[in-house]
Amino acid sequence: MSAPAMTEADAAIPSLKAFLAAQEKKSLLRFLTCGSVDDGKSTLIGRLLYDSKLLFDDHLAALKRDSKQHGTTGGDIDFALLVDGLEAEREQGITIDVAYRFFATDKRKFIVADTPGHEQYTRNMATGASNSELAVVLVDARKGVLTQTRRHTYIASLLGIRHVVMVVNKMDLAGFSQEVFDRISTEFSEFASHLGFQSRVAIPISARFGDNVITRSDNTPWYHGPTLLGFLETVDVETSLADTPLRLPVQWVNRPNLDFRGYAGTIVGGRVRPGDRVAVAKSGRTTTVERLVTMDGDLEEATAGDAVTMTLRDEIDISRGDVLCAADSRPDVSDQFAAHLLWMAEEELLPGRQYILKLSTSTVPAQVTALKHKVDVNTLEQLAAKTLHLNEIGMVNVSLAQPLAFDSYRENRDMGGFVLIDRFTNATVGAGMIEFGLRRATNVHWQALDVNKDARAALKHQKPVVLWFTGLSGSGKSTIANLVERTLHAEGRHTYMLDGDNVRHGLNRDLGFTDADRVENIRRVAETARLFVDAGLIVLVSFISPFRSERRMARELMGEGEFIEVFVDTPLEVCVARDPKGLYAKARAGAIRNFTGIDSPYEPPENAELVVRTEDADPARNATAILSYLKANGYIV
Amino acid sequence: MKQGISHLRRLEAESMYVMREVASSFANPVMLYSIGKDSSVMLHLALKAFYPSKPPFPLMHVDTTWKFRDMIAFRDETAARLGLKLLVHVNEDGVKRGINPFDSGSALHTQVMKTESLKQALDKYGFDAAFGGARRDEEKSRAKERIFSFRSATHAWDPKNQRPELWRAYNTRINKGESIRVFPLSNWTELDVWQYIMAENIPIVPLYFAKKRPIVERDGTLIMVDDDRMKLKNGEKVEERLVRFRTLGCYPLTGAIESEADTIEAIVAEMFTARTSERQGRLIDSDEKASMEKKKKEGYF
C-alpha cells in the first residue's frame, strides 16, 4: 500500500513498454506547501517522500546522520532535513528558499514546492505559488490560524491557485482532538471562503508520525475525509487552457536562410492548425497559418503548452514580443492597466519611478502611476497607502512606455502575470497580476495621466526644455536665440520664443521697470515658459533677467533637466559700444531710469549650464555651440 | 492537463521555452556540454528548439583530462555529426602543476580542473549565459536553485538571495561581467531523462550500458581502469566485471555499478528497483558536508 511505484514496477518489468506507456499517461500535479514557520511544511514533504518509498538508501543514510547532528526531533529521523538543502537552513532549522521535490505514485506524478514560512521570505513563497495548481496550507494544531497562514492563503489565491488543502498538523500534540480541528477549520473557512477557491478541504494530520498523510489514522476515528495523499492523487485541477482563445507570444524569429521565416514560441492558450486565421495583436494585421514546423515533422495541430515554430502565409512585420492570436478573439492592447502588485524588495515601491516590466516575452519601461490601496492580509481590508513595503500587496495602475498585448491574469497566467525589475540593480522587485486594461473612455484618470508632458514631447521626438538666455541689453541674446530657433525649426522641432517684444507688449504691458515689476515680469515669463514646456516645446526665453533669485525661481518651476541657463557674457563696454537700440545713450543721458548696467545692477550667473562669449565669435558659432549641447544631452536626437 | 499534452512533452516544451528565452535575451550564450546523459538530452532539446536553424550558440566542454576515453570519442563524434561548434577548455596551469585525482585528492582536482577551469573558460570567451544540464532532483542544494540562476562577476552564487522567479517571466537582465547559469532540465527527474532518451532514441555514451570492463575495487567503489595512469595499490587487482555507469565524470572518481542492463529498456527497468541515488557513484560529492552547495557558491556548475 505504501509503495505504489515499487510494487507496480516489479510487476510491470515483463511488460515494460506497457508500463512506460502508463507512466506517460499519468497526469502531473504541481503543488506547494505553505503556512507559518514551524508548522511542519518540510517535515510533511519528507514524510511523503519517505512513506512513498521514494528515498534512496544513501539519502536515508545521510538523513539519519544529519538528524543526529542538526535534528530537532531528539535523534529520531528529522524529515525536514531532506528538503532544507542549504547549509544555513539546516543550521538554523528553517526554510529560506523554495525547494522543488519530485515524487510519483501509480496514479500521478507530483512536483512539490516547499516554501518558506518566514515573512521575510514571502517572495520565495510567491515564486513557488506562481507555477502551482494547488496549495497545501499547514496550520499548527496548537497555534491555530496565524497572520502568515492568512497571508499565504491570500497570496495563493491572488496567484490564481483555485484549490486549497488546509492541513491541521501536529494533531499528536493536540491529543487528536476533534474540537481543535473543527475550531481551526471553521476559522480558516471564514477567511478563505472570500478568496474564490474552487475547492477547499481540511485534513487533520501528524506529519511527524504519518497520521492521515498516506495511511488513515486510528487516532482520528471522527474524521471521515480523505488522507492527504489520497486527496492529492484524485483532486481535479484541470483548467483547460486549450479551450481558451489562441495566444502565441513570439520568443524568437527563426531565419536559417532567406526561404524560411518561422516564429518560435510556446502556445499559452488555445489551439491552432494550419489554415487558421490569426492576427498580430498589436498591429492588428491578420494572416493565415501555413505550417507548424518541428524537428519531428509538421504538426496537424498544436495546443496550449506546446513549443512550436509557426510559418505564416503573408510576410508581415512580426518580432519578439508580438503575440499571435485568434483573429476573432484578441487580447487587450493598451499602455495602461490595473493590477495587483506584490512588492518583493527591501527598497520600497516608488510610484512614478521607472522600472523595467517583463510580461511574457515583452520587456518595456513602466511606472506605477497610482497606488489605489494596499491590502491588510489579516482582514483583506483596503487601506490607503503612499508606497508598498517588502511583502505588501496593493492595487495599482501601471503605465507603459509603449502598448502591450495582455489578458487579465484570471484568464491567462502567462498573458497577465508580470515582474518589475529595478533598472540599476536588475533585481526582481515586484510581481504583478493584471486585473483589467485601462482606456480613455473607461477611466477618468487616464487622460490626465496619458496625455502629459512626456506624451506630447514623445509625439514631437524631443525633450521639452527652457533655454533661458540672460545677459545685458545688447549682449546678443536675441540674435543668438533667433539663430538657434531657426535651426531647430528647420530640423522639424517644435519651438517657441519668449522675449521682451512679444511679452512686454501684451501679457506684461501693465508692468514697468521697478525692481518689483521686474520680478513680476520674470515670474510671468517663467510661468508661461513652464506651460510651453508642459506642451512639449523647446522654449527660448531671451530676457535680461538681472537677478539671480528670479532666475532661480524660474529654474525651480521646471522639472529636473528642463532648464538650461545660457549666459551671454558680453562685457558692458562692448554692449555700450554696440548699443543697437541707442538705449545706453538714453540711459546715460538720464532719459531712461533703472537701466541694467547703468543705474540698476546685473548679477551674473554663477552656475550657468552654458556661457557664450560674443566678443570674438560670431553669433552663428554661438548658436552651433548651443545646438551641440542640446544634442549631447539628449534633448534632440 | 486532461486532454492536454503528456508529461514528457510538457517538460520538453518547458525546456525549449527556456532555451529560446536565452537565445533572444543574451548576447553571447554557451551550452556547457559534459557528455553525460543529461547533456545528451539538453543538446537534443536545443536541436528541437531552434529547428530548422542550428542552435545559435556553441557547445563547450571543460575537460579535466581525466574523462573516460569513450566520453571524449563520443563528444567529438557528436559535434562532427551535428555540425556544431565545440570549444574544449583545459586548465593548462593545473596540468602544469600536475594536479590529478589520485595524488591531489578529489577535492583539489575538482576545484582546479573543473571549477577554476570553468571560470577561466567563461571569462576567456566572455559568455553572459551558460546552459547546464543539472536537475533539481539530483541533490539538495540543486533543489533550491532557480532556472535562471544569477552569478556575480566573480561567478559566485548567493543562495540566500536569489531573484524571485515567477511564472515564465524570467529576469535575464545583468550588468557587465555578471552572468546567468541556465538550467533547462531543472524540473526533469532521472527517470524522465531515461524515458525521454528511450522515446526519442537519443545517442548516449556506451559506458551507460553493461559490459565486461577492467575494474578495481577501491574503498568499496568499483573504479574502471581506463588508462595506464591508474596505479594499483598493494593488494589491488584488475578484474573483468560486468558493470555500467549511472553517471559519468572523471574515471578515477566515478563508481561503476554491477549490472546486466545493456539496453535502454533494461536500464529503465533497473531504475525502478534502484535503492541508491545516481550521485552516490560520485566521489566528489561526499567529500564534506554540504559540499555541492559549497562548490556551487565557488562557481561549480
Side-chain angles (χ1 to χ4, degrees):
Chain A
M1 151 94 211
S2 59
M6 295 288 301
T7 48
E8 184 178 323
D10 291 341
I13 290 170
S15 54
L16 186 75
K17 290 252 152 101
F19 169 68
L20 290 172
Q23 289 285 317
E24 258 289 82
K25 291 208 183 69
K26 275 185 197 174
S27 63
L28 172 69
L29 177 72
R30 294 184 187 218
F31 70 97
L32 79 153
T33 54
C34 56
S36 190
V37 63
D38 283 340
D39 283 351
K41 294 175 291 298
S42 304
T43 307
L44 175 62
I45 293 177
R47 168 59 72 178
L48 279 170
L49 297 175
Y50 183 77
D51 278 2
S52 53
K53 298 273 188 292
L54 287 161
L55 291 180
F56 292 126
D57 288 346
D58 52 322
H59 286 163
L60 206 54
L63 176 62
K64 285 178 178 155
R65 202 171 58 227
D66 281 2
S67 295
K68 285 201 187 103
Q69 197 163 1
H70 297 300
T72 56
T73 48
D76 288 354
I77 290 181
D78 184 350
F79 294 110
L81 295 174
L82 272 177
V83 269
D84 287 337
L86 301 176
E87 222 171 335
E89 293 180 325
R90 287 201 295 278
E91 279 164 9
Q92 299 171 47
I94 59 166
T95 306
I96 292 173
D97 210 333
V98 53
Y100 296 90
R101 285 278 156 174
F102 306 80
F103 67 102
T105 67
D106 55 352
K107 296 202 178 70
R108 252 191 183 156
K109 286 179 178 253
F110 298 93
I111 298 180
V112 49
D114 177 33
T115 66
H118 282 83
E119 186 186 339
Q120 76 182 107
Y121 304 122
T122 298
R123 60 186 198 172
N124 296 333
M125 178 268 166
T127 290
S130 72
N131 289 314
S132 293
E133 298 146 327
L134 177 145
V136 175
V137 180
L138 279 88
V139 176
D140 185 329
R142 298 165 304 170
K143 296 183 197 154
V145 174
L146 303 172
T147 301
Q148 197 64 346
T149 320
R150 296 174 200 272
R151 183 192 305 273
H152 280 184
T153 308
Y154 177 55
I155 291 175
S157 79
L158 205 57
L159 283 162
I161 291 177
R162 289 291 160 260
H163 305 272
V164 62
V165 184
M166 195 272 295
V167 298
V168 180
N169 189 22
K170 308 195 186 182
M171 285 300 290
D172 52 306
L173 299 176
F176 291 101
S177 153
Q178 181 177 7
E179 195 205 323
V180 168
F181 175 71
D182 287 348
R183 180 165 39 81
I184 293 174
S185 347
T186 307
E187 193 185 351
F188 183 78
S189 273
E190 279 166 7
F191 177 78
S193 62
H194 305 291
L195 296 175
F197 292 111
Q198 272 171 32
S199 76
R200 264 185 295 130
V201 296
I203 304 176
I205 68 160
S206 165
R208 190 173 164 199
F209 297 105
D211 300 78
N212 293 330
V213 176
I214 289 183
T215 46
R216 178 164 294 283
S217 170
D218 295 335
N219 294 317
T220 53
W222 43 265
Y223 174 71
H224 305 290
T227 63
L228 177 59
L229 187 66
F231 182 76
L232 295 175
E233 277 184 323
T234 52
V235 60
D236 181 7
V237 297
E238 295 310 321
T239 50
S240 40
L241 269 175
D243 298 332
T244 61
L246 173 70
R247 301 286 184 261
L248 174 64
V250 173
Q251 279 188 288
W252 191 73
V253 180
N254 196 335
R255 290 225 73 185
N257 55 59
L258 291 175
D259 301 326
F260 187 93
R261 180 190 286 270
Y263 302 99
T266 293
I267 299 175
V268 299
R271 54 184 78 235
V272 65
R273 307 172 68 98
D276 285 356
R277 289 298 287 172
V278 292
V280 184
K282 265 191 284 186
S283 69
R285 298 283 302 272
T286 59
T287 179
T288 304
V289 177
E290 191 180 49
R291 297 169 58 199
L292 297 166
V293 181
T294 79
M295 196 167 85
D296 309 310
D298 285 9
L299 299 177
E300 279 176 28
E301 184 184 65
T303 57
D306 281 338
V308 297
T309 299
M310 186 188 282
T311 65
L312 302 171
R313 213 137 302 146
D314 307 294
E315 285 234 348
I316 52 181
D317 182 26
I318 299 171
S319 53
R320 175 175 165 86
D322 272 320
V323 177
L324 293 164
C325 60
D328 55 0
S329 184
R330 304 184 188 190
D332 239 322
V333 175
S334 175
D335 58 0
Q336 303 257 329
F337 54 72
H340 276 105
L341 183 66
L342 166 65
W343 196 248
M344 305 191 295
E346 298 283 346
E347 196 184 336
E348 64 193 26
L349 162 73
L350 290 178
R353 169 184 278 196
Q354 204 175 62
Y355 296 96
I356 302 290
L357 178 142
K358 183 163 187 197
L359 183 151
S360 187
T361 60
S362 296
T363 305
V364 295
Q367 51 179 318
V368 170
T369 48
L371 174 54
K372 293 196 270 190
H373 61 254
K374 68 176 181 186
V375 177
D376 180 320
V377 293
N378 260 314
T379 60
L380 303 184
E381 248 181 308
Q382 302 179 353
L383 308 172
K386 288 212 158 37
T387 181
L388 290 177
H389 295 103
L390 179 67
N391 299 324
E392 288 189 331
I393 297 157
M395 182 76 180
V396 297
N397 284 354
V398 175
S399 164
L400 309 170
Q402 65 210 55
L404 283 187
F406 57 83
D407 291 303
S408 76
Y409 185 77
R410 212 174 303 111
E411 291 168 302
N412 192 310
R413 281 190 192 191
D414 284 290
M415 291 289 294
F418 62 90
V419 293
L420 292 182
I421 299 166
D422 185 280
R423 290 179 68 89
F424 300 101
T425 65
N426 290 326
T428 306
V429 292
M433 287 129 288
I434 296 178
E435 289 292 313
F436 47 84
L438 297 172
R439 274 174 222 86
R440 266 171 255 252
T442 55
N443 192 287
V444 183
H445 302 294
W446 204 87
Q447 278 192 330
L449 286 168
D450 187 51
V451 186
N452 54 17
K453 179 160 55 185
D454 291 346
R456 296 183 194 101
L459 202 63
K460 300 177 175 68
H461 305 291
Q462 63 191 29
K463 253 166 84 178
V465 67
V466 175
L467 283 166
W468 190 282
F469 292 82
T470 176
L472 295 165
S473 176
S475 59
K477 299 182 297 298
S478 296
T479 310
I480 298 167
N482 269 319
L483 282 170
V484 171
E485 186 180 26
R486 207 181 299 160
T487 311
L488 287 171
H489 186 80
E491 288 179 2
R493 313 294 170 188
H494 298 247
T495 59
Y496 194 77
M497 168 88 85
L498 287 167
D499 66 12
D501 287 343
N502 59 13
V503 175
R504 282 260 178 207
H505 292 153
L507 178 65
N508 289 358
R509 73 174 157 217
D510 55 325
L511 300 178
F513 290 89
T514 62
D515 282 359
D517 278 0
R518 281 175 182 275
V519 169
E520 176 60 12
N521 182 38
I522 297 303
R523 190 193 69 79
R524 291 186 193 178
V525 169
E527 286 287 359
T528 308
R530 189 172 72 107
L531 288 174
F532 286 157
V533 163
D534 201 48
L537 302 181
I538 296 173
V539 189
L540 301 98
V541 178
S542 173
F543 270 80
I544 299 172
S545 48
F547 305 130
R548 282 187 199 117
S549 60
E550 274 65 60
R551 294 195 300 263
R552 186 166 64 233
M553 179 263 294
R555 179 186 288 275
E556 284 166 1
L557 273 178
M558 314 303 162
E560 182 79 29
E562 285 175 358
F563 187 89
I564 299 171
E565 195 168 2
V566 183
F567 177 29
V568 183
D569 185 12
T570 310
L572 182 63
E573 320 78 82
V574 179
C575 296
V576 171
R578 287 180 188 164
D579 202 8
K581 297 175 190 163
L583 295 173
Y584 284 100
K586 286 186 187 169
R588 286 245 159 101
I592 305 176
R593 306 265 315 261
N594 297 326
F595 195 79
T596 303
I598 305 300
D599 55 349
S600 182
Y602 178 83
E603 301 170 1
E606 286 166 342
N607 293 303
E609 278 79 4
L610 278 166
V611 179
V612 297
R613 295 177 204 286
T614 60
E615 299 145 272
D616 39 31
D618 67 73
R621 276 180 59 189
N622 294 143
T624 305
I626 292 167
L627 288 161
S628 309
Y629 180 89
L630 291 179
K631 285 205 174 75
N633 289 279
Y635 291 98
I636 54 178
V637 186
Chain B
M1 290 176 206
K2 204 182 283 169
Q3 311 119 340
I5 60 180
S6 78
H7 175 61
L8 282 180
R9 253 175 89 197
R10 193 167 161 186
L11 288 173
E12 177 190 73
E14 281 179 9
S15 302
M16 287 164 67
Y17 183 89
V18 167
M19 292 179 170
R20 289 166 172 175
E21 278 302 276
V22 170
S24 306
S25 311
F26 292 91
N28 192 17
V30 67
M31 178 169 280
L32 269 295
Y33 178 71
S34 69
I35 319 172
K37 62 184 190 308
D38 303 299
S39 281
S40 289
V41 166
M42 184 164 64
L43 176 56
H44 186 76
L45 290 165
L47 296 174
K48 284 196 164 195
F50 302 102
Y51 178 86
S53 294
K54 286 192 174 154
F57 38 74
L59 305 181
M60 183 167 76
H61 178 227
V62 176
D63 191 351
T64 61
T65 72
W66 288 91
K67 299 295 172 189
F68 291 93
R69 286 174 298 162
D70 272 1
M71 290 173 71
I72 301 301
F74 181 87
R75 175 194 76 188
D76 295 341
E77 188 275 320
T78 299
R81 175 169 47 87
L82 300 173
L84 299 176
K85 184 173 177 192
L86 170 73
L87 307 168
V88 176
H89 183 80
V90 174
N91 183 351
E92 295 299 345
D93 177 57
V95 173
K96 263 184 229 144
R97 284 161 59 196
I99 302 290
N100 73 77
F102 292 119
D103 308 318
S104 319
S106 66
L108 183 65
H109 169 72
T110 302
Q111 169 69 22
V112 174
M113 299 308 289
K114 286 181 92 167
T115 309
E116 292 301 327
S117 187
L118 171 65
K119 291 197 262 185
Q120 280 174 1
L122 293 175
D123 288 341
K124 176 177 169 190
Y125 297 101
F127 293 121
D128 51 3
F131 289 107
R135 311 184 318 267
R136 283 171 174 160
D137 77 328
E138 277 179 75
E139 199 273 337
K140 276 188 286 195
S141 67
R142 295 248 196 248
K144 294 275 172 179
E145 187 148 14
R146 301 285 188 254
I147 294 174
F148 282 69
S149 189
F150 177 81
R151 292 293 186 279
S152 70
T154 56
H155 305 286
W157 181 51
D158 181 1
K160 284 163 77 176
N161 196 23
Q162 300 192 80
R163 291 177 176 177
E165 188 167 88
L166 289 99
W167 312 291
R168 287 181 260 209
Y170 301 116
N171 178 353
T172 56
R173 296 179 68 87
I174 49 172
N175 288 320
K176 204 170 155 49
E178 298 166 345
S179 62
I180 303 269
R181 303 272 174 95
V182 186
F183 302 103
L185 304 186
S186 286
N187 287 327
W188 295 59
T189 63
E190 188 185 10
L191 182 59
D192 295 329
V193 165
W194 283 114
Q195 283 187 264
Y196 190 69
I197 288 171
M198 185 161 76
E200 298 276 313
N201 238 332
I202 300 171
I204 51 171
V205 182
L207 292 161
Y208 286 111
F209 300 107
K211 198 182 147 187
K212 289 236 173 201
R213 296 188 167 95
I215 295 294
V216 165
E217 190 168 339
R218 182 173 288 179
D219 304 328
T221 303
L222 305 182
I223 304 290
M224 175 174 155
V225 183
D226 198 44
D227 58 37
D228 55 14
R229 289 180 294 178
M230 179 158 178
K231 304 286 179 249
L232 295 189
K233 294 179 182 169
N234 269 346
E236 283 182 347
K237 61 176 194 302
V238 181
E239 297 170 292
E240 287 288 311
R241 284 165 83 163
L242 189 59
V243 296
R244 65 180 201 88
F245 294 86
R246 276 177 83 180
T247 167
L248 294 176
C250 297
Y251 83 80
L253 300 175
T254 306
I257 54 167
E258 306 222 66
S259 166
E260 296 173 5
D262 56 0
T263 61
I264 295 277
E265 287 79 4
I267 288 173
V268 175
E270 198 178 82
M271 285 237 14
F272 280 98
T273 51
R275 290 307 305 149
T276 54
S277 76
E278 60 187 318
R279 294 206 78 86
Q280 199 199 24
R282 296 233 175 170
L283 301 183
I284 59 172
D285 284 354
S286 43
D287 278 345
E288 53 189 301
K289 206 158 35 78
S291 64
M292 176 72 84
E293 180 184 347
K294 185 164 174 293
K295 288 202 294 286
K296 285 168 67 64
K297 281 180 185 168
E298 290 164 354
Y300 182 75
F301 238 89

